[in-house]
Amino acid sequence: MAKSFEIRKTIVLEATPEQVWRTIATPQGQAAWSPDPYQSMEGMDVEATENERLAVRTPEAANGAFHAFEYLVSADDESTTTLTFVHSGYLGDDWEAEFDFGELTGYGWDMYLHTLAQYLKHFAGRPASFVTAQGPPTSATPDSWATLENALGVAGPFEQGQQLRLTPQGLPALEGVVDFAYPEFVNFLALRTTDGLYRFHDNSVMGMPQAVGHYIYADIDREATEQGWSDWLARVFA
């Protein structure tokens, strides 16, 4: 598969450039929508023009791999802003995975940028905690997604706008609306509730376990909440 890649996405956001900038360029804002908001920026090459452009490039690894992320912010009018996002890079001289990194990662960015839009539309200004947990290695098989759905008390495929109630044993039930849906061949569940955006990922196509990545806009103990979801995944796939 190709080792060099470029993923380009454009989205119109219901927010001012200043609001968008705070959400993409500060740790507090990143916690509301991004895939790895608590990653250290140490060693990164960062270029920033406030309210206009943010570019971040990772250091080059021994195998030549690097990732570059660029955000271009452009005001449309008093209430909307266009964000252009580019993720490019090189996967390394020894990259041999069979899946198409650019395609799958592009689907991921569709979801994360949608999450950004949902935050700015429904939860803007509220403090955010990103809660993530991963199942055991036994959950990396293609049939594990059905097990996860069963443990939540639902069955897909899911449609955007669909009302759902999730019942993870040992955790509070979640009621809300499906706010994002992939094509049928991508197993994923996204639920918007009154206090957060909850995401359940089937990573088995990449040989990785089932996982959750939730954005909660309420006063919580993040570590305890992460442990609760981690324990739940361990029970589901015991």
Side-chain angles (χ1 to χ4, degrees):
M1 306 300 292
K3 297 179 180 181
S4 296
F5 67 93
E6 180 179 286
I7 302 162
R8 182 178 292 268
K9 304 287 183 181
T10 300
I11 186 170
V12 176
L13 301 166
E14 297 181 29
T16 65
E18 292 78 12
Q19 289 174 310
V20 173
W21 181 260
R22 286 194 297 270
T23 310
I24 65 173
T26 68
Q28 297 83 1
Q30 286 267 320
W33 68 277
S34 74
D36 194 9
Y38 302 120
Q39 180 183 16
S40 171
M41 294 295 287
E42 184 176 354
M44 302 288 189
D45 182 10
V46 180
E47 299 177 9
T49 302
E50 189 172 356
N51 301 330
E52 294 182 11
R53 177 179 180 268
L54 175 67
V56 179
R57 190 184 191 278
T58 66
E60 187 171 305
N63 64 356
F66 73 91
H67 293 262
F69 309 90
E70 184 178 34
Y71 303 81
L72 299 172
V73 179
S74 176
D76 297 328
D77 52 38
E78 293 183 355
S79 59
T80 64
T81 299
T82 294
L83 175 66
T84 300
F85 170 77
V86 183
H87 177 190
S88 60
Y90 181 67
L91 298 173
D93 301 330
D94 53 358
W95 176 263
E96 295 181 351
E98 295 183 3
F99 62 87
D100 187 319
F101 179 90
E103 180 182 19
L104 289 181
T105 305
Y107 285 133
W109 282 119
D110 286 339
M111 185 276 295
Y112 289 115
L113 293 173
H114 173 83
T115 299
L116 168 63
Q118 290 283 288
Y119 170 71
L120 288 169
K121 182 175 182 177
H122 297 284
F123 304 103
R126 290 171 61 172
S129 293
F130 178 56
V131 170
T132 184
Q134 187 170 274
T138 54
S139 68
T141 59
D143 59 350
S144 292
W145 179 251
T147 301
L148 186 142
E149 285 185 332
N150 184 63
L152 292 172
V154 294
F158 307 103
E159 297 182 0
Q160 194 162 344
Q162 178 181 356
Q163 294 287 329
L164 283 181
R165 175 180 169 84
L166 310 183
T167 54
Q169 187 176 16
L171 293 170
L174 300 172
E175 293 190 51
V177 60
V178 175
D179 66 278
F180 183 83
Y182 281 120
E184 284 191 27
F185 60 85
V186 179
N187 292 324
F188 179 75
L189 172 56
L191 190 74
R192 187 182 73 241
T193 71
T194 57
D195 72 349
L197 298 167
Y198 291 81
R199 277 78 173 98
F200 300 83
H201 305 260
D202 177 11
N203 293 326
S204 62
V205 68
M206 297 179 287
M208 298 169 59
Q210 306 298 303
V212 304
H214 306 323
Y215 302 89
I216 302 176
Y217 313 113
D219 185 15
I220 64 167
D221 183 328
R222 186 172 70 89
E223 290 186 3
T225 304
E226 275 195 347
Q227 189 62 56
W229 281 102
S230 181
D231 292 344
W232 177 76
L233 285 165
R235 291 194 300 272
V236 169
F237 295 103

